[in-house]
Amino acid sequence: MTPLRTRLAELQLAVMLLTRLPAGRMAQAPTIGAAVWAFPLAGALAGSIAAAVLAGALAAGIAPPLAAGLALAASVLATGGLHEDGLADCADGFGGGRDRARKLEIMRDSRIGSYGGLALILSLGLRWQALAILAGQHPAVAPLALIALAMSSRAGLGFALLWLPTARNDGMGKSATGTSFVRAMLGLALTVVTLVILLPWPWGAFSVLATQFGVQLLFARVALRQIGGQTGDVLGAMQQLAEVAGWLVLTR
């Protein structure tokens, strides 16, 4: 397989893993670790759908709060709520488990408890409010911000897979190990370039990324204390927390 076809296969795998968008089938899939550089690009695809919905709704005269709600709904549909599910599972496990084994057991349970429900309400509520504020103040910028934050909130996941041990012997967190610093840096570099292009404020890209990486680093330390490392749910929660942090920076 040529290098170009290999990179395209890795991008295809990233889209299949992080979204519910149609991505075809793969006769021979690359490893998840090899595809981490493309995680931000998969986010950009989901963010572009939400951005198109937001721009269309605003152009149709729909009020910014309602347009923001429609855009978030499109985003959740594009990703299948995978990251939201990870946030809810982590909140339930970290908040309700007595020890590491119990926390991991709760996180694997498909049911959502009170901690998970509250985490989802707060995450969606903060993102909704922030997007509505930005759409009302800067309607031309808000759709671009959706794409930018969809990328930047996933740029740190490669580093989490690189540096955090796995908390389970199975699951996505385990199967996604084996990445490299170069691949994680490639995803970050693509994100930085895109954010500099999309965000109109000179401070925007670097303030967003610095804040998001700080939040993800703090949550990584929490995950280490709580369950001893990362899982697929931890990665999903990291994405959600980073996205909320990014919106808070852009609307300050």
Side-chain angles (χ1 to χ4, degrees), residues 5-251:
R5 293 188 65 182
T6 299
R7 300 292 88 76
L8 290 175
E10 291 166 356
L11 174 58
Q12 183 183 4
L13 179 61
V15 173
M16 294 171 69
L17 285 172
L18 301 187
T19 77
R20 287 294 179 262
L21 301 176
R25 296 184 178 183
M26 307 186 73
Q28 184 177 359
T31 64
I32 298 176
V36 297
W37 69 270
F39 284 5
L41 298 182
L45 290 175
S48 296
I49 292 173
V53 171
L54 178 65
L58 292 174
I62 296 176
L66 296 178
L70 291 173
L72 280 181
S75 176
V76 171
L77 288 173
T79 63
L82 293 172
H83 309 302
E84 285 83 359
D85 181 67
L87 175 65
D89 286 343
C90 283
D92 281 333
F94 293 2
R98 298 181 300 275
D99 52 35
R100 177 177 180 273
R102 179 56 180 157
K103 293 175 192 293
L104 288 170
E105 181 183 354
I106 292 173
M107 290 169 66
R108 181 156 277 175
D109 193 332
S110 61
R111 294 169 295 182
I112 296 179
S114 57
Y115 290 111
L118 289 170
L120 287 177
I121 290 171
L122 291 172
S123 173
L124 287 169
L126 288 170
R127 289 155 58 200
W128 192 335
Q129 287 289 332
L131 180 55
I133 290 170
L134 194 63
Q137 295 177 346
H138 305 285
V141 174
L144 301 179
L146 273 169
I147 301 172
L149 294 186
M151 290 188 70
S152 61
S153 60
R154 292 165 175 84
L157 301 185
F159 295 99
L161 288 169
L162 183 64
W163 291 328
L164 284 175
T166 57
R168 300 185 193 273
N169 293 322
D170 58 0
M172 178 182 172
K174 179 66 175 178
S175 60
T177 55
T179 188
S180 68
F181 182 73
V182 171
R183 293 180 183 278
M185 281 300 299
L186 177 57
L188 176 59
L190 291 170
T191 301
V192 170
V193 171
T194 305
L195 263 64
V196 169
I197 294 172
L198 292 182
L199 298 179
W201 307 289
W203 52 265
F206 302 102
S207 295
V208 165
L209 284 169
T211 303
Q212 289 180 323
F213 271 62
V215 168
Q216 290 181 329
L217 179 60
L218 287 173
F219 188 72
R221 293 177 64 87
V222 171
L224 274 172
R225 289 198 303 268
Q226 292 284 332
I227 59 173
Q230 55 85 9
T231 66
D233 287 331
V234 168
L235 297 177
M238 290 179 75
Q239 185 278 326
Q240 288 285 284
L241 294 173
E243 189 171 328
V244 170
W247 283 116
L248 294 179
V249 171
L250 291 183
T251 53

